[in-house]
Every structure is written in C-alpha cells, then in structure tokens.
Amino acid sequence: MYPKNMLFTSESVAEGHPDKVCDQISDAVLDACLKQDKNSRVACETFVTMGLVIVGGEITTTGYVDIHQLVRELVKDIGYTSPEYGFDYQTIAILNAIHAQSPDIAQGVNRGRKIGAGDQGSMFGYANKQTKQYMPLPIMLAHQLVQKLAEVRKKKIIPYLGPDGKSQVTVEYRDGKPVRVDYVVIAAQHTNEVVTKDGKYMCEDAKEEIIQKVIKPVLGEYYDKNTKITINGTGKFVIGGPQSDTGMTGRKIIVDTYGGWAVHGGGAFSGKDPTKVDRSASYMARYIAKNIVHAGLAEECLVQLSYCIGLTEPVAIMVNTFGSGKISDEKLAKLIRKVFPLSPKGMIEHLKLLRPIYQKTAVYGHFGREDYDVFTWEKLDAQDELLSKLSKV
C-alpha cells in the first residue's frame, strides 16, 4: 500500500480539544435519546467557542433530553472547571437549536420491519497486522499519548496540565515493518505556574516531566536515542480549548479512524444514530476487515460498502487486500455477502448498536479499542464462519 521504507505520521487530539468536546456532546445527546427510546432518530451537531455552546440538528424521539444539564455535566467531566480556561461549565451559555427529522428522510428509513439506509455514501473499514489491535501503529501511539496526557492530568501526576492537547507520531518503516518512532509532537495545555519568568515559554523541567511520564512509557521499545521530540512548538500553551479555537462535530474524521493510513468515505460518526450508514456501515466494514485478517485470509484488508438512501442492501462491495489475500479480492467480496448482515437492520442487530454506547467512542478513536462490550465491531468472532463458507464462493 505504501513504500517499504518510509516515514508515516498520524495525529490524535485530547478530549478537551474543541472539536472533540463537540463530538462528545453530540454522542452524549444520542446516548440520552437511546436510553429512553431505542428507535430514536438522531443527527446532532455541536458548535463551541469561547463561553458558548450551540447544540443543533434533527432529532425524533419519544424521550426528553435536558440539553443544558447534559452539556454542563459533560464539560465538567472533561475538565473545564475554572474561569482561567475561558470555558467554564458553570458559566457557559448554551443554545438549543434541535428540531425533528425531515419526513422525506424518515419515509425512506422507517420501512416496517425493514430499515432503509439513512443516506447514500461509501464507507470503508481497514485492518492490518502492525499491532495487536489490527491497526496501523502511528494512530495507535498517537491515541495512547493523548490518553496518557489525560491520565496524568486527572490523577494529578502532572497537575499543571489543562484539558486541551494534541499528539503527532512519525513512525519509521523498514521493509514494510514499523521499527522505531522518529518524531513525536506534543501540544499540552498548561497553567502559568510552569511558564518561564519572561512569560514566553513552558519551562524545560515541565517538558522533561512530560517526556518521562507520558512519552517514554507510551513509546516503549519504539523510542530510541535518535527519537526527536517537540513539546509546545510555539513556546507555551496556556490559552487553549474553546477560548482559543472554535470546535465543531465531525471535524476529526481521520483521527477517529485510521490516522490517514486507510482511505475514508468522508462521513463523520458522532451524533448520528446507527440508521445512518456513515456510522453503522463504517463499523461493519471495520469488523469485516479485522475478521478477514484474523482468519488468515489476508495480511491487510480494506473493505468498501456503498449504499443508497432508502435501500436496505449495499449497492456495491469492494475488497482490496493489496496482494496479500489467500483468495482473490473478488471472491472475498462474495464471501462477505454470504457471511455478514449488511442491511442497516442487520448491522444494527449484529453489532448491538441501539445501546447508549456512543459517548465512549467520541475520543481516542472508534477503532482499535479493547472494550468489546461497547466496541462490538472489534470482536474477532467471525473466523469459523468465514472459513466454513470459503468453498461456496
């Protein structure tokens, strides 16, 4: 798929990043609806800026969601608990701009016992053998770095850190295998207590603490004496979060998936109920690709599922194993139709998608997660059926 010898870079963002604040709010609204009405139709978008949250979109549900209370509790949990951040859960203004789903869309989705696709589009799923999670290494390390930043902040191991942050990891590949991390970039919001006396920079002791307590533990064997590190490249990062940058739902779709390693259909996930194939078909495509690799049918696998609004089955399936498949890609596409339920209803039921699980997906990536009760599309349980039906394609 890529040159055998190369440097490849992926990034991730912290839960306090403005875009991720929005993703979490939108998915928290979805969860609140599903808790009360599993047939809720939700397309929720959030916008944040300094001191303001706007929640809008199309929702049809028999339940009731107190948007103001939900937003304040979530912003508090993320860590925006002080006016010094310019975005405080107690004082933010919240605007609710939600209305019902379009009846033109509803008539294509609600089809008695069947469910039509909530939109047209092409969704992709991918898996390879670079990591135990069947994910590309750069995005997994990037996620782990921002998770570690959150851990040391919340446990007050590094108490001066703020909720906002980003990571970027460049991995060196030799003969197609990841061998080391070449460069790490960390943007870590912090308080004034670790700013130098001239007010321009984060002090070197604080940077070293991040290296020792965050970066090295995460990189492990991939860190070496030649690994380069930049922490807060502008010098300091005191003003962050919605105080410094607006946020919107769905602007981190590459962070949410494969870090740029695999192609993306373009549709965001957060705030959408699973009748929207942007979400459910992306989860199913990942589930398919991961199980194909786990079953030994390929070393790497990309699956595309394409849908038409209102129709119940995909209009097309594409498989690319990049020459690593044990059978042809064409036969794998036929095998997928025999093994996996691909209608919206089938995907929803098989992956148990009508549960309030989505807020957990909104940060640190939707794929490569190991909480299988929530992330059902990460399960490796289709191997036997795949192998048993090989002879029928």
Side-chain angles (χ1 to χ4, degrees):
M1 187 174 182
Y2 289 105
K4 294 280 186 185
N5 301 321
M6 65 170 182
L7 299 174
F8 192 91
T9 304
S10 294
E11 71 160 350
S12 185
V13 296
E15 59 194 70
H17 184 283
D19 292 332
K20 276 294 151 199
V21 171
C22 293
D23 285 344
Q24 290 171 87
I25 292 172
S26 294
D27 272 337
V29 171
L30 171 60
D31 283 350
C33 291
L34 291 175
K35 283 179 184 177
Q36 302 168 74
D37 175 11
K38 69 177 184 178
N39 295 314
S40 297
R41 298 289 182 258
V42 179
C44 180
E45 308 282 348
T46 305
F47 168 87
V48 299
T49 188
M50 185 167 64
L52 176 64
V53 178
I54 302 174
V55 183
E58 301 79 46
I59 297 179
T60 300
T61 182
T62 61
Y64 170 75
V65 181
D66 186 334
I67 296 294
H68 286 250
Q69 181 181 355
L70 180 149
V71 170
R72 293 192 195 281
E73 289 180 354
L74 180 56
V75 170
K76 179 183 179 181
D77 289 344
I78 291 170
Y80 287 112
T81 57
S82 171
E84 70 179 313
Y85 295 128
F87 190 78
D88 175 20
Y89 80 100
Q90 298 182 87
T91 59
I92 51 174
I94 302 168
L95 298 180
N96 183 347
I98 292 172
H99 57 89
Q101 183 187 50
S102 161
D104 291 349
I105 294 175
Q107 71 178 5
V109 177
N110 304 324
R111 298 196 162 210
R113 294 182 179 180
K114 295 183 178 181
I115 300 175
D119 203 351
Q120 69 180 51
S122 296
M123 281 53 70
F124 291 90
Y126 177 81
N128 64 19
K129 289 189 172 182
Q130 286 184 30
T131 64
K132 67 178 182 178
Q133 298 90 356
Y134 293 84
M135 288 284 286
L137 180 63
I139 188 62
M140 291 307 300
L141 291 177
H143 286 324
Q144 290 164 15
L145 284 169
V146 287
Q147 283 179 297
K148 193 69 172 179
L149 280 174
E151 178 187 334
V152 299
R153 170 175 62 89
K154 291 178 177 180
K155 292 182 177 179
K156 301 191 183 303
I157 296 170
I158 306 182
Y160 50 79
L161 291 179
D164 198 358
K166 300 177 76 172
S167 67
Q168 183 174 287
V169 179
T170 300
V171 174
E172 180 179 353
Y173 288 78
R174 291 292 172 192
D175 295 322
K177 304 294 183 183
V179 295
R180 57 181 294 273
V181 169
D182 186 67
Y183 211 125
V184 174
V185 178
I186 293 289
Q189 186 184 17
H190 57 87
T191 61
N192 277 308
E193 68 183 274
V194 290
V195 175
T196 54
K197 291 182 179 180
D198 61 9
K200 293 182 178 180
Y201 304 100
M202 184 184 197
C203 69
E204 292 303 316
D205 287 348
K207 291 182 180 180
E208 184 61 28
E209 190 170 22
I210 291 173
I211 291 172
Q212 296 301 327
K213 295 181 179 179
V214 176
I215 296 174
K216 285 186 176 181
V218 168
L219 299 191
E221 63 183 287
Y222 293 106
Y223 178 89
D224 64 28
K225 64 180 181 180
N226 295 316
T227 299
K228 300 175 282 294
I229 298 171
T230 295
I231 298 174
N232 292 343
T234 65
K236 65 176 182 176
F237 186 10
V238 174
I239 301 172
Q243 182 182 17
S244 66
D245 192 11
T246 59
M248 294 184 70
T249 300
R251 289 206 302 199
K252 288 292 177 284
I253 60 175
I254 301 303
V255 171
D256 285 343
T257 52
Y258 307 100
W261 186 278
V263 296
H264 195 295
F269 302 154
S270 289
K272 297 178 181 178
D273 75 80
T275 66
K276 281 74 171 175
V277 286
D278 278 344
R279 184 162 218 159
S280 52
S282 293
Y283 291 170
M284 179 56 78
R286 161 66 177 172
Y287 175 67
I288 293 168
K290 187 177 181 182
N291 276 275
I292 284 173
V293 173
H294 179 67
L297 297 177
E299 293 292 308
E300 126 180 80
C301 183
L302 178 72
V303 175
Q304 181 194 49
L305 303 175
S306 300
Y307 289 83
C308 172
I309 189 168
L311 300 188
T312 58
E313 293 292 331
V315 298
I317 300 174
M318 185 280 298
V319 178
N320 188 352
T321 59
F322 309 96
S324 71
K326 299 299 186 287
I327 62 174
S328 71
D329 294 344
E330 183 180 7
K331 285 186 176 181
L332 274 175
K334 292 178 181 178
L335 181 62
I336 287 169
R337 283 201 186 266
K338 290 184 176 295
V339 172
F340 298 96
L342 301 175
S343 68
K345 185 176 187 292
M347 294 187 293
I348 287 168
E349 290 179 350
H350 190 82
L351 298 178
K352 301 178 181 178
L353 298 180
L354 291 181
R355 300 174 297 142
I357 59 172
Y358 295 103
Q359 187 183 331
K360 289 184 178 180
T361 71
V363 285
Y364 312 127
H366 293 246
F367 307 126
R369 308 289 288 272
E370 296 180 340
D371 182 355
Y372 296 145
D373 182 56
V374 172
F375 299 85
T376 53
W377 49 94
E378 293 297 315
K379 288 184 177 181
L380 297 169
D381 56 5
Q383 174 178 323
D384 291 345
E385 191 171 3
L386 280 166
L387 296 178
S388 68
K389 292 185 178 177
L390 263 179
S391 60
K392 298 179 181 180
V393 297

